[in-house]
Amino acid sequence: MNSRRDFLQKLAASAMALPLLPLQNLAGSAEYANFYNTPYDGPVLRVAIMGLGSYGTRVAKAMQDCKRARLTGVISGTPSKIKAWQARYNIPEKNCYNYENFDQVKDNPDIDAIYVITPNGLHHDQVIRVAKAGKHAICEKPMAVNAKEGQEMVDACNQAGVKLLVGYRMHFEPKTLEVIRMRKAGEFGKILFFQGQCGFTIGDPTQWRLNRELAGGGALMDIGIYAINGARYMTGEEPVWITAQETKTNPEKFKEGVDETIQFQMGFPSGAVASCLSTYNMSHLDRFFLNGEKGFAEMQPSTGYGPIKGRTHKGELTQPHITHQTLQMDEMAGIILDGKQPVVDVSGEEGVRDLKIIDAIYEACRTGDKQQLS
């Protein structure tokens, strides 16, 4: 297994072979049902994808089912990929750019937003260039390699008057939103504990995810961010302290600055605690567990491409699977075009919050000290 993408794609394989259930069956999602089952002729967000790798391909395919977002451009350093995408998605030559000339997109009215799906270490400069070109930016997570760079990206987009959104697809996933609804409604009672386990055995040692300069770290940046973000949206709180321990069994494969396995703990203002695991050296880890005084929620798989599976003290979660990236892009179109407020934030500020926690986890591993967060 070469990457998190491969891992999540394997989890999704069985789901992709199944027909989607009617959207009307979604608990509490009459808005989705009405939207996807009625004709739409309103404004559409015109999107260029930057980075035409496996995940960019997945997003492009999912966007074919979107009603409010449309793929209208591409940015890549590989001419052969551009040609293939032009043919597959009917993209005109004038909407195709490379990494050297994509600043010219500022003069292209066919593109409203650029979705940056490149290695983590490139996000900072690329998003700032997108902002300077006057286009909205959607950035894959983690949005940067540290909180300082993330804040600079937020500031650049604010200064340019464009939106910066982060590709938190789970923030729109129906089963996830049902657990959040139950928590907000008090159905779990006082939240006591969260556990997040995220990991797989990574393959090719030469890939960019094991290159510190491009990845910004190791498993924590790639897969552990799901547990960090999940702890926050499942508990509904921001952590106030962090402890962490790193384990490395293969220093040849996992060089200095590239983490193999990190266990980390977080404490929240209410007294709730989280215990999480992020690893590139163990497979079959994709589980969230939330415990409260009145009940619980368990999701496994919790963050794969789908279908997400889960249960609570009230029974199985039955919301049907909808392609995550389709929902994400339609919802992001609503945010950009209409100022719609999502249930869970997907702004650049949200991305910075996760990066501050990542910074603190790495510092806790380095020093062995508990890190206090303001």
Side-chain angles (χ1 to χ4, degrees):
M1 190 176 299
N2 289 332
S3 72
R4 170 171 57 87
R5 311 292 188 216
D6 299 329
F7 167 66
L8 295 175
Q9 286 167 6
K10 286 180 184 293
L11 286 177
S14 60
M16 294 176 67
L18 298 173
L20 297 184
L21 297 177
L23 285 168
Q24 290 93 331
N25 291 345
L26 280 171
S29 60
E31 181 181 0
Y32 283 148
N34 181 63
F35 178 65
Y36 280 101
N37 289 297
T38 56
Y40 176 77
D41 61 359
V44 171
L45 184 71
R46 297 162 298 183
V47 180
I49 290 179
M50 178 187 298
L52 310 184
S54 61
Y55 193 69
T57 299
R58 179 173 288 273
V59 172
K61 289 179 178 178
M63 286 183 67
Q64 291 180 301
D65 294 324
C66 285
K67 295 183 74 172
R68 295 211 63 185
R70 182 179 305 132
L71 178 63
T72 59
V74 294
I75 302 167
S76 174
T78 307
S80 61
K81 287 184 178 180
I82 292 176
K83 290 297 183 185
W85 279 52
Q86 279 187 271
R88 185 176 299 125
Y89 300 109
N90 195 29
I91 297 170
E93 183 70 31
K94 66 185 180 65
N95 293 356
C96 299
Y97 301 89
N98 58 45
Y99 296 123
E100 286 70 45
N101 69 9
F102 77 81
D103 309 87
Q104 296 172 15
V105 75
K106 68 179 182 296
D107 300 316
N108 191 334
D110 291 348
I111 296 171
D112 304 309
I114 296 177
Y115 194 164
V116 178
I117 310 178
T118 55
N120 311 333
L122 306 180
H123 292 173
H124 172 267
D125 292 351
Q126 289 171 341
V127 165
I128 289 175
R129 287 173 65 186
V130 169
K132 289 181 177 178
K135 304 298 181 180
H136 301 293
I138 302 170
C139 184
E140 229 348 91
K141 61 192 176 305
M143 63 179 279
V145 298
N146 56 53
K148 177 180 179 294
E149 286 197 357
Q151 188 60 53
E152 290 171 355
M153 294 158 68
V154 169
D155 293 343
C157 289
N158 286 340
Q159 184 176 357
V162 299
K163 291 188 180 296
L164 170 57
L165 306 180
V166 184
Y168 289 115
R169 58 188 168 81
M170 301 311 300
H171 292 197
F172 308 107
E173 196 281 316
K175 291 184 178 70
T176 300
L177 290 179
E178 173 61 11
V179 172
I180 292 171
R181 184 203 65 76
M182 291 177 68
R183 188 255 300 159
K184 288 182 174 180
E187 295 181 35
F188 302 120
K190 177 180 169 60
I191 301 300
L192 304 172
F193 176 73
F194 171 82
Q195 183 180 55
Q197 298 173 332
C198 300
F200 65 93
T201 304
I202 200 166
D204 180 10
T206 66
Q207 65 180 278
W208 71 261
R209 290 179 181 84
L210 297 179
N211 179 318
R212 183 182 183 183
E213 183 177 350
L214 290 175
L220 185 68
M221 300 292 287
D222 185 32
I223 196 79
I225 190 171
Y226 284 99
I228 293 168
N229 194 248
R232 295 175 51 239
Y233 63 66
M234 294 284 271
T235 65
E237 296 190 84
E238 297 297 330
V240 293
W241 59 259
I242 288 171
T243 54
Q245 307 81 38
E246 180 178 5
T247 303
K248 187 172 292 191
T249 64
N250 187 347
E252 289 300 314
K253 186 173 186 178
F254 302 98
K255 307 293 186 184
E256 181 70 24
V258 178
D259 50 287
E260 174 187 324
T261 300
I262 293 180
Q263 298 176 76
F264 58 96
Q265 304 78 39
M266 296 185 281
F268 299 90
S270 68
V273 293
S275 177
C276 302
L277 172 67
S278 166
T279 184
Y280 268 159
N281 198 37
M282 289 176 260
S283 293
H284 317 299
L285 291 174
D286 184 14
R287 177 178 179 269
F288 285 176
F289 179 77
L290 184 71
N291 182 261
E293 288 183 336
K294 295 181 181 179
F296 73 91
E298 180 181 37
M299 306 181 78
Q300 185 175 6
S302 57
T303 64
Y305 292 141
I308 301 302
K309 295 182 179 180
R311 64 189 179 101
T312 74
H313 59 287
K314 293 188 173 183
E316 296 292 320
L317 294 170
T318 58
Q319 292 74 20
H321 172 67
I322 306 173
T323 302
H324 297 174
Q325 294 80 5
T326 304
L327 280 180
Q328 173 193 320
M329 296 309 294
D330 270 333
E331 288 294 305
M332 286 186 167
I335 294 169
I336 291 173
L337 296 175
D338 303 332
K340 184 176 181 179
Q341 294 299 311
V343 173
V344 186
D345 191 14
V346 293
S347 70
E349 287 82 2
E350 172 78 356
V352 172
R353 293 182 194 107
D354 279 343
L355 290 169
K356 287 180 177 179
I357 295 170
I358 288 174
D359 288 350
I361 290 172
Y362 281 136
E363 185 66 9
C365 289
R366 187 184 70 82
T367 64
D369 298 332
K370 177 185 283 190
Q371 303 296 304
Q372 301 294 331
L373 297 174
S374 56

